[in-house]
Amino acid sequence: MKQLKHGSESAFTQLFNSYRGAVYSTSFTFLNSVTLAEEVVQDVFLKIWLKRAEIGEIKHLQGYLFIMARNIIFDRIKKMSYESTISGSLAEDQISAGGTDYLIRHHQCQQFLKQAIEQLPPQQQKIYCLAKEDGLSHERIADIMKISKQTVKKHMALALRSIRKYLDNHIHNFLWLMVLLHAMVS
């Protein structure tokens, strides 16, 4: 870790070789895509390299790598759920490739998102749905709801923060469960 902190490429290579399999396996378990899992591995280790000066402060490297991978996986899942066209075509690809596990995980993530939205106060929920589901601009939402554009922005920011927190708590537990199940099966 000290060598990596000081920019040692051989220390980085050793770290990469030791942990890339675990990061890849976890990523593939949730994304069911070789390409996306490889991208997560690249993103995780790129961040490690870029943050190598701070690496000495990390007490539990394996946990740190897992959290970093979890966050990247979570971002990918959120992106796929928000982009319905891409999500739909990915789901079709997964069905044709026999990706039942992917569909189950995708459905579970969609359920978490739905629950997170239902937890919002009514005005935030309405603004979020008009923006994300109906694709309306903040200006248009302000007109419809007879409130200022600034109020829409404020409620949208609060809604996103609340959803992010809800998903982070619930998907974190879900990811740990899936990793444990995957480890027991392997």
Side-chain angles (χ1 to χ4, degrees):
M1 296 305 287
K2 277 185 178 181
Q3 291 174 354
L4 177 60
K5 183 176 180 174
H6 296 297
S8 168
E9 290 181 23
S10 64
F12 176 78
T13 301
Q14 185 177 358
L15 176 76
F16 178 79
N17 289 336
S18 296
Y19 290 101
R20 77 171 167 202
V23 173
Y24 176 85
S25 177
T26 300
S27 302
F28 186 80
T29 298
F30 292 98
L31 300 171
N32 202 31
S33 164
V34 171
T35 304
L36 292 177
E38 288 172 353
E39 286 177 9
V40 171
V41 170
Q42 290 173 2
D43 289 351
V44 165
F45 287 100
L46 175 63
K47 284 184 180 187
I48 289 290
W49 180 253
L50 295 174
K51 294 183 176 202
R52 67 187 175 276
E54 304 163 18
I55 207 86
E57 300 167 14
I58 298 169
K59 295 191 188 319
H60 303 286
L61 181 62
Q62 190 170 0
Y64 181 79
L65 288 171
F66 173 79
I67 296 298
M68 190 180 294
R70 177 207 68 180
N71 291 340
I72 293 169
I73 291 166
F74 177 60
D75 288 344
R76 293 289 194 301
I77 290 171
K78 280 196 312 189
K79 184 177 180 183
M80 290 185 319
S81 71
Y82 287 133
E83 298 173 356
S84 60
T85 333
I86 293 171
S87 180
S89 65
L90 280 175
E92 289 172 16
D93 291 346
Q94 297 303 329
I95 290 169
S96 65
T100 306
D101 290 341
Y102 168 84
L103 292 176
I104 292 169
R105 286 188 302 274
H106 181 74
H107 176 73
Q108 185 66 47
C109 290
Q110 292 287 8
Q111 288 302 110
F112 286 139
L113 180 60
K114 182 180 176 190
Q115 291 167 2
I117 294 167
E118 289 171 354
Q119 299 288 321
L120 295 173
Q123 190 166 13
Q124 288 179 21
Q125 192 177 113
K126 185 172 183 178
I127 289 170
Y128 178 87
C129 291
L130 287 171
K132 296 298 183 182
E133 293 173 9
D134 297 341
L136 300 180
S137 69
H138 289 179
E139 191 172 299
R140 181 71 181 122
I141 295 168
D143 289 343
I144 290 170
M145 295 183 68
K146 309 281 189 250
I147 57 177
S148 74
K149 186 176 171 184
Q150 206 56 28
T151 302
V152 172
K153 284 182 180 181
K154 178 185 168 195
H155 282 294
M156 189 64 178
L158 290 170
L160 290 172
R161 186 178 309 131
S162 179
I163 289 170
R164 204 173 293 120
K165 184 177 178 182
Y166 183 91
L167 291 175
D168 205 26
N169 290 334
H170 287 80
I171 288 184
H172 176 75
N173 295 334
F174 179 67
L175 286 173
W176 270 113
L177 177 63
M178 294 304 293
V179 167
L180 289 173
L181 291 172
H182 181 71
M184 291 169 49
V185 172
S186 299

